Each structure stands twice: as C-alpha cells, then as structure tokens.
Amino acid sequence: MSSKPEQKTILLAVSSSIAIYKSCELCRRLKERGANVYVAMTENAQKLVSPILFESLSGNAVITGMFSNSRQPVPISHISLSHVIDLFIIAPATANLIAKSACGIADDWITTSLLATTAPVLWAPAMNPQMYTNPATQKNIQILSERGHHFIGPFIGTTACGEVGQGRMAELEIILEKIDILLTKNKNLTGKKVLITSGPTQEPIDPVRYISNRSSGKMGRELALEAIKRGAEVTVVSGPSVEKLPYHSNSVYVQTAQEMYEQVLKLFPECDVFIASAAVADYSVIKPLEHKKKRTDEALLLELTPNPDILGEMGKRKNEKQIVIGFAAETNNLIENAKEKLRNKNLDLIVVNKVGGEKCAFGSEFAYATIITPDGIENEPSLTPKRELVQKLYDKIEELLKKKEAI
Ligand code: PMT
C-alpha cells in the first residue's frame, strides 16, 4: 500500500524569502493531513515571521538555532531529528542555503541537519530570477540533484521584487503532490507507461452549445496520481474537466471523442497499461452549425452519428504484454452489463460503478463500485472513496503485469 503523509514525520526548514507566507500554509496543510511537522527557521527567516506562528501551526517547538539558549523540540535535534524524519523539505529555499548545502557547509542548524539526514530532501526555491539563472546557483542545484536531492520549481511569474521571470516558489498543490510521490514506498510501476483517458468529451452543436455529460475528471485524476506515486510515467488524454490534472503527468487536452480517439491511437502503441475512465459521448452531431442557432417555436432535430469506440479499438489492437482496462458506468444490472463489456471489448479488467445517488460516480469523491476480471468479481460492489478504489485497482494491475511478464 502507498504511504500517506498523515502517518509521517516531516521537517520543514524555512529560509528568508517573501514566499515564507506560503510555507505557513504548507505547514498547516501537512498537519491537516495528519503529519507530525517540525519547523526549523534560519535567523533571517525569523526576521520575516515569528517562530510563534509556526509553533502554533505545527504544534511543536520551532528550532531557531543550534544551542541551548535557542528552542529545541528534542535534545541534540540536528542529529536525532534528521535521523527519524521521513522527509526534509526546504521551503522557501534561498540561493544562499542551496549554495551552502552544495558545498557541504554546516554553520547553522539547518545546514548541519542537511549533512546529517538520511531522509529524502526536497527543495522549493524562491528567489530573484537573475539569482536563480546565475550559473553559480544552477551549478549548485545540479550538484545537489546529482546527490539525489529533489527540486520543485521555481516557476515563472512576477516575483516580490517586481521582476518577471523564473523565481516564484511552487504552488502548494504542486509541492504537496511531490511530497506524496516522495513518501510513497511502493514504486512497483517504475519503468511502466500508463495511458489514461479522463473527463467528459464535448460534441459541438453550434459555436456555443454542445452535447456532454457530468464527468468531473476526479476518477481520471486519482488514477493518474496513484500511478505517478508508484513510479509510472503517466499520460492523460483529458476532455474539458472541472478537476485539474496532476502536475507530474503528461497532459493532452482534447474536446471531442474523435480528438480523444486520434490522440489515444498515437499514444497506445508505447503504453504498458491503458485505462479508459473517460465518459466519452457515444454520439456527435453530424454537421455542427456554423452560426449560433436562433430560438424558434419549432421542434429541433439533431442528426447524430456514433463516435469511435476508443476502448473497443484498443482492446482489438493490444499485444500480449499490454493491459487494457475499461470502466462501466451503469444505472442497473451492474455486474451483467460490465461482464458483457469486458468480453465484447477484449479487456483484462473492468471497473463497474453505479450512476446515481448522492455519493455516486459523477463528480463525487466516492464510487459504488467493484472490479471484475475474466476470472470473476473481486467483491460485491460497495461505496468506496475513489482514492481507495484506485489503490485496489493498481494492486490488481501489478498482479496482471507480473503474469504477463512471466509469459
Ligand atoms: O469524472 P468523474 O466525475 O470522477 O466520474 C467518473 C466516471 C463515472 C466518469 C468513471 O468512473 C466512469 O465510469 N467512466 C466511464 C463512463 C462511461 O462512459 O461508461 P460506458 O459504460 O458508457 O463506457 C464503457 C467504457 O468504454 C468506458 O471505459 C469508456 O471510457 C469507454 N468508451 C465509451 C464510449 C466510447 N465511444 N469510447 C470509449 O472508450
């Protein structure tokens, strides 16, 4: 099972940048997920924000220096803490701190602990764009990356000094996603390519109207995130969705079923696992109107044509090593209907979920669902958080991959 930050001990080292306000929120979000968070601050960071704020947010004494007159949550904390933490995050990270760490300098609590730690280290730099692109900073980042440290950002935008360029600290959602990846121990999908369809498609009627459905893209996002956490390279072909795709996936955006089909056709030969979670519109308008249709009192007939069956086509094309997985969104006869799709579309597995009800399928965090393979039903359908369903699905996918590799 993948790790969750809620059971983890995280050290958040804070250096002095205006982006420090984001670190306060990062500390809060990590606590909210159940992590035990220790915060260490450089002397300059303490001039921007009082340690009392981080103490209140983390619930632990904040480390403000090396010696006994400074605050320490545990004795000899630069050694004892750096050995027990699951992750060492430096956010915001200044050019100075990166430079000192690259040279192995240990002249304060944070740099000393960085030398002593065996935990994964994640840097979220924030600085003036010139300082970031300076060859000295770039070389220091390269040195640390080669030693196995991880970097997230900085991103392009307007920095506190008013300059536009690459210097803004990564947004929290992106940092949190990276933390989830680093904290997941199961990397059994490393080297595997997972291709996912997600969200609805939109089939134009005229320039302002379309045929579509209620898929939010939540299921596709969870599918992508879990595969990324387990080490896979993930590509998502997504229709226009409410949910954002993970930062760490390759994202291909489409509008219609035909466009989704064309993209999947291109990407499918390279993938090891194809998962069709998109709610593809089964029909499109034969000739969408060039101009906006004006209202009249007459009935309006739309002539529709069937869209390509993306999943069915990939089921036909798969080779003996590839795994093809479908979803079935059903209102009734869940198991029988899903089994029929499993057979007709030549699938290795199908996830059936019930449509309707307050917490079900479209737009919900939950699915009333089960997994079916040609060998039978995993268990009776039950209401499950999509995140948990997806974890079970990948456990099954790992089993199937092992079987196929043994052939
Ligand atoms: O996005 P969310 O709000 O989180 O909702 C998730 C979901 C309900 C959309 C998802 O869990 C789901 O069930 N997706 C499949 C919905 C669907 O279209 O089911 P279907 O029974 O009509 O299609 C069967 C399978 O064929 C699906 O894998 C579908 O992606 C695929 N298909 C269907 C039609 C088509 N033209 N091409 C396809 O590939």
Side-chain angles (χ1 to χ4, degrees):
M1 236 187 67
S2 66
S3 319
K4 289 182 183 167
E6 47 265 35
Q7 293 114 27
K8 303 296 179 181
T9 301
I10 292 175
L11 176 64
L12 174 60
V14 180
S15 61
S16 81
S17 151
I18 298 300
I20 199 167
Y21 72 93
K22 290 189 191 169
S23 299
C24 302
E25 179 64 6
L26 178 61
C27 180
R28 196 190 68 76
R29 294 282 293 276
L30 290 169
K31 279 294 287 181
E32 197 176 68
R33 292 159 150 230
N36 185 17
V37 184
Y38 290 99
V39 179
M41 299 177 79
T42 61
E43 265 182 50
N44 283 341
Q46 292 166 49
K47 291 177 187 150
L48 294 181
V49 165
S50 164
I52 297 168
L53 178 58
F54 278 107
E55 186 167 320
S56 308
L57 292 169
S58 70
N60 284 318
V62 171
I63 301 152
T64 54
M66 281 290 271
F67 302 106
S68 52
N69 60 346
S70 56
R71 305 156 72 87
Q72 302 285 334
V74 287
I76 329 178
S77 59
H78 63 286
I79 303 296
S80 52
L81 255 188
S82 58
H83 285 2
V84 297
I85 52 173
D86 295 289
L87 186 64
F88 196 134
I89 312 170
I90 307 97
T94 56
N96 180 46
L97 204 52
I98 293 170
K100 286 207 275 185
S101 182
C103 295
I105 293 173
D107 65 351
D108 64 4
W109 193 94
I110 294 173
T111 48
T112 309
S113 302
L114 275 165
L115 274 188
T117 194
T118 48
V121 178
L122 174 62
W123 298 83
M127 64 192 75
N128 168 276
Q130 301 300 331
M131 290 170 74
Y132 178 68
T133 49
N134 188 297
T137 306
Q138 289 302 307
K139 185 71 194 169
N140 292 329
I141 290 173
Q142 187 193 334
I143 290 170
L144 291 172
S145 302
E146 283 166 7
R147 282 184 205 147
H149 288 208
H150 303 269
F151 283 81
I152 188 85
F155 287 80
I156 294 174
T158 307
T159 51
C161 53
E163 281 183 37
V164 178
Q166 194 170 2
R168 281 180 68 85
M169 187 167 116
E171 292 306 325
L172 292 191
E173 292 309 322
I174 297 177
I175 298 177
L176 289 166
E177 189 181 308
K178 185 71 187 179
I179 291 171
D180 276 351
I181 295 169
L182 291 174
L183 289 178
T184 302
K185 293 270 186 300
N186 172 355
K187 297 290 178 201
N188 290 343
L189 293 181
T190 303
K192 298 292 176 207
K193 287 188 178 171
V194 177
L195 175 62
I196 297 165
T197 65
S198 174
T201 63
Q202 291 179 352
E203 313 300 328
I205 297 171
D206 69 12
V208 294
R209 303 174 180 97
Y210 53 78
I211 299 171
S212 190
N213 59 66
R214 298 177 206 277
S215 168
S216 63
K218 277 198 168 80
M219 185 67 89
R221 179 182 158 79
E222 291 299 341
L223 285 165
L225 267 178
E226 188 60 25
I228 294 166
K229 287 197 247 172
R230 294 186 188 207
E233 184 188 328
V234 176
T235 303
V236 187
V237 182
S238 171
S241 303
V242 179
E243 284 294 314
K244 265 195 189 165
L245 290 178
Y247 171 75
H248 294 88
S249 63
N250 307 311
S251 308
V252 180
Y253 295 100
V254 296
Q255 187 192 3
T256 62
Q258 181 62 34
E259 287 168 9
M260 188 173 270
Y261 178 61
E262 285 163 19
Q263 291 299 331
V264 170
L265 268 186
K266 266 195 254 167
L267 294 162
F268 182 75
E270 294 300 312
C271 80
D272 301 285
V273 180
F274 173 60
I275 309 177
S277 73
V280 185
D282 285 318
Y283 297 91
S284 53
V285 177
I286 289 186
K287 212 165 176 279
L289 299 171
E290 198 182 328
H291 299 290
K292 185 182 167 193
K293 174 86 181 100
K294 296 276 179 289
R295 187 194 175 282
T296 68
D297 286 334
E298 304 294 305
L300 175 66
L301 284 179
L302 291 174
E303 204 182 342
L304 304 178
T305 182
N307 280 328
D309 178 355
I310 304 170
L311 178 63
E313 188 57 36
M314 301 312 128
K316 280 186 205 149
R317 288 176 185 234
K318 74 174 177 186
N319 64 35
E320 72 281 6
K321 299 278 181 202
Q322 285 177 307
I323 292 176
V324 173
I325 293 171
F327 270 74
E330 305 291 340
T331 51
N332 57 331
N333 292 337
L334 266 62
I335 306 296
E336 296 85 85
N337 290 343
K339 277 184 172 170
E340 201 179 313
K341 282 184 182 147
L342 182 81
R343 271 193 309 274
N344 293 347
K345 299 191 190 220
N346 191 27
L347 308 180
D348 296 278
L349 184 158
I350 193 159
V351 180
V352 59
N353 50 178
K354 192 170 189 293
V355 177
E358 209 182 298
K359 280 186 163 183
C360 274
F362 287 91
S364 166
E365 302 290 337
F366 293 83
Y368 186 84
T370 192
I371 294 171
I372 305 176
T373 65
D375 297 335
I377 307 169
E378 280 296 296
N379 45 267
E380 283 306 309
S382 59
L383 194 63
T384 318
K386 284 181 180 169
R387 187 159 298 175
E388 270 176 37
L389 175 71
V390 157
Q391 284 169 356
K392 278 190 201 140
L393 176 63
Y394 280 107
D395 290 345
K396 202 74 206 160
I397 290 173
E398 285 184 19
E399 267 176 43
L400 290 174
L401 279 168
K402 267 194 203 134
K403 272 192 201 158
K404 293 228 173 188
E405 272 155 22
I407 294 171

